């Protein structure tokens, strides 16, 4: 006699369960942090006195100072874990997608355009919808939304969830090297920058989704009516075309993204623990990091986009694209 087990799962229930368990884990981290602080409440209160702040090493006994460092390290670890769990949910990626996908489409179409846009800007941005009503124009800026959703959520989970792990590894194994080379304050920011750069290079594993998104945004004819499964089957590793230029773009871009944010928190706001930044401080630091990333990565981003928007059967090398850009 044979027993057959039929497995079934409810997608909505699984998604809801995932969210619930993630927020439970975040809640437990906060509870653990509260317990740790209660255990050393007297010491924390002492360290927060106005006459002690900034002079802890002079005012506290060595054993008190060691306990304070231990508490702060635990606090940073727990708050960092909460941040990673928050990124894991991917809600930030979805919100970013809804707001910035049209802007990204415009940017990619402008990057793909060769020659002057004078007198034809609307045609470059809206393509065949250039003369359509404004509502139709707006919704024409959402091609490739499905690919973008997958890419953006996975990117945020990988990038913002992975960078803290790499940073913690560097701090644990090479922290003294950074401190001795750059100083304690700058060394901490440099660790965030280097960790971001390393994670950014690894982001090329998500390149196929980015390629499909860009083709939908700029050159939908390249699909020729094929679905994603058929394209993956036909093209295979061809979807990774231009990975070298992508890595070359991501390395300095992610270095500047995380480094700009870290330097802003450390030098502009004087924070020793970046996890204690307020909403406004995170907002300003994010602007600084994004602006720095844009400045250093924009030229390579143009090359990457032009490589990826080509027809599958008509690829073009990055160096040829650079040559064409110089001639423009």
């Amino acid at each position: 006699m044979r027993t057959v087990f039929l497995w079934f799962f409810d997608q909505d229930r699984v998604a809801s369960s995932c969210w619930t368990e993630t927020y439970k884990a975040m809640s437990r981290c906060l509870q653990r942090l509260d317990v740790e602080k209660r255990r050393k409440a007297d010491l924390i209160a002492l360290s927060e006195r106005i006459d002690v702040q900034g002079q802890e090493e002079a005012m506290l006994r060595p054993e008190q100072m060691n306990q304070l460092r231990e508490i702060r390290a635990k606090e940073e670890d727990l708050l960092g874990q909460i941040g990673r769990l928050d990124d894991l949910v991917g809600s930030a990626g979805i919100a970013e997608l809804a707001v910035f996908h049209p802007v990204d489409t415009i940017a990619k179409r402008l990057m793909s355009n060769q020659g002057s846009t004078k007198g034809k800007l609307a045609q470059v941005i809206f393509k065949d919808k250039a003369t359509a009503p404004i509502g139709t124009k707006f919704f024409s800026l959402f091609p490739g939304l499905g690919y973008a959703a997958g890419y953006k959520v996975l990117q945020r989970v990988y990038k913002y969830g992975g960078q803290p792990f790499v940073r913690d590894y560097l701090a644990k194994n090479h922290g003294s090297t950074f401190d001795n080379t750059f100083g304690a304050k700058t060394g901490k920011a440099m660790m965030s920058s280097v960790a971001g750069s390393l994670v950014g290079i690894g982001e090329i594993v998500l390149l196929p989704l980015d390629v499909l998104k860009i083709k939908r945004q700029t050159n939908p004819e390249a699909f020729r009516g094929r679905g994603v499964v058929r394209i993956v089957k036909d093209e295979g590793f061809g979807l990774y075309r231009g990975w070298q230029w992508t890595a070359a773009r991501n390395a300095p871009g992610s270095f500047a993204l995380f480094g700009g944010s870290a330097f802003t928190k450390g030098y502009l706001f004087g924070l020793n623990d970046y996890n204690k930044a307020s909403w406004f401080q995170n907002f300003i630091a994010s602007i600084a990091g994004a602006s720095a990333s844009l400045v250093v990565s924009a030229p390579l981003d143009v090359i990457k986009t032009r490589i990826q928007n080509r027809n599958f059967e008509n690829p073009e090398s990055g160096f040829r694209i650079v040559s064409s850009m110089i001639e423009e």
Side-chain angles (χ1 to χ4, degrees):
M1 182 176 179
R2 178 180 298 176
T3 302
V4 178
F5 294 93
L6 299 178
W7 295 92
F8 169 80
F9 70 92
D10 184 330
Q11 292 186 14
D12 293 335
R13 186 181 68 81
V14 171
S16 176
S17 177
C18 181
W19 280 63
T20 300
E21 293 302 320
T22 301
Y23 284 117
K24 279 183 180 178
M26 294 169 69
S27 177
R28 292 189 192 103
C29 287
L30 290 171
Q31 291 172 352
R32 173 64 185 275
L33 180 59
D34 182 62
V35 170
E36 294 292 339
K37 284 187 171 183
R38 285 175 183 271
R39 289 176 178 173
K40 303 293 181 181
D42 293 340
L43 178 59
I44 293 174
L46 176 62
S47 69
E48 291 177 348
R49 278 173 31 185
I50 296 176
D51 59 324
V52 176
Q53 288 182 0
Q55 305 181 64
E56 290 89 344
E57 293 190 5
M59 302 292 290
L60 299 178
R61 298 192 302 273
E63 62 271 18
Q64 289 178 317
M65 197 63 210
N66 289 334
Q67 291 175 4
L68 184 61
R69 289 195 187 100
E70 184 179 342
I71 294 168
R72 288 177 174 173
K74 287 181 179 179
E75 182 180 26
E76 185 171 356
D77 288 344
L78 288 168
L79 291 176
Q81 181 65 10
I82 291 171
R84 287 190 283 269
L85 288 169
D86 185 46
D87 285 327
L88 186 62
V89 174
S91 56
I94 295 172
E96 182 181 346
L97 181 70
V99 175
F100 293 110
H101 187 70
V103 178
D104 182 58
T105 299
I106 293 172
K108 292 297 186 287
R109 289 177 178 177
L110 289 173
M111 289 179 187
S112 300
N113 180 66
Q114 299 185 27
S116 174
T117 59
K118 186 176 181 180
K120 59 174 185 176
L121 183 61
Q123 285 77 15
V124 172
I125 294 175
F126 300 108
K127 294 186 173 293
D128 59 337
K129 300 295 190 295
T131 58
I134 187 169
T136 305
K137 284 182 178 179
F138 176 73
F139 285 108
S140 72
L141 298 176
F142 283 90
L145 189 61
Y147 300 120
Y151 175 71
K152 187 59 65 177
V153 172
L154 289 174
Q155 181 198 43
R156 289 194 68 88
V157 170
Y158 166 75
K159 198 169 190 176
Y160 291 94
Q163 189 267 354
F165 284 102
V166 178
R167 184 195 62 205
D168 291 347
Y169 171 82
L170 292 175
K172 182 178 180 180
N173 296 278
H174 306 284
S176 58
T177 302
F178 280 90
D179 290 345
N180 294 334
T181 304
F182 303 103
K185 194 171 186 178
T186 305
K188 187 174 183 179
M190 287 297 294
M191 273 192 289
S192 289
S193 303
V194 172
S197 182
L198 293 173
V199 170
I201 293 172
E203 194 182 323
I204 59 175
V205 298
L206 304 176
L207 192 58
L209 283 173
D210 192 29
V211 169
L212 294 174
K213 173 183 76 74
I214 289 174
K215 288 189 189 299
R216 278 293 186 194
Q217 289 173 311
T218 61
N219 184 20
E221 294 81 10
F223 285 78
R224 302 185 186 281
R226 295 180 296 173
V228 62
V229 176
R230 180 61 184 273
I231 289 174
V232 171
K233 182 179 179 181
D234 291 347
E235 305 301 331
F237 285 102
L239 292 172
Y240 282 94
R241 188 173 290 117
W243 67 267
Q244 304 95 325
W245 292 93
T246 302
R249 163 194 174 270
N250 288 355
S254 295
F255 182 95
L257 176 66
F258 288 98
S261 177
F263 274 96
T264 301
K265 291 177 182 178
Y267 283 91
L268 181 61
F269 297 116
L271 296 172
N272 291 320
D273 182 358
Y274 300 154
N275 292 315
K276 291 184 177 179
S278 65
W279 180 90
F280 176 75
Q281 289 170 335
N282 276 319
F283 178 74
I284 298 299
S286 296
I287 291 176
S291 300
S293 177
L294 181 64
V295 169
V296 301
S297 65
L300 287 169
D301 200 23
V302 174
I303 299 171
K304 165 186 167 293
T305 299
R306 292 191 179 183
I307 290 173
Q308 294 171 346
N309 69 11
R310 304 279 297 181
N311 288 334
F312 289 108
E313 69 278 5
N314 186 27
E316 188 173 18
S317 72
F319 291 106
R320 183 177 292 275
I321 289 173
V322 172
S323 177
S324 299
M325 289 171 61
I326 294 174
E327 292 175 0
E328 290 178 21

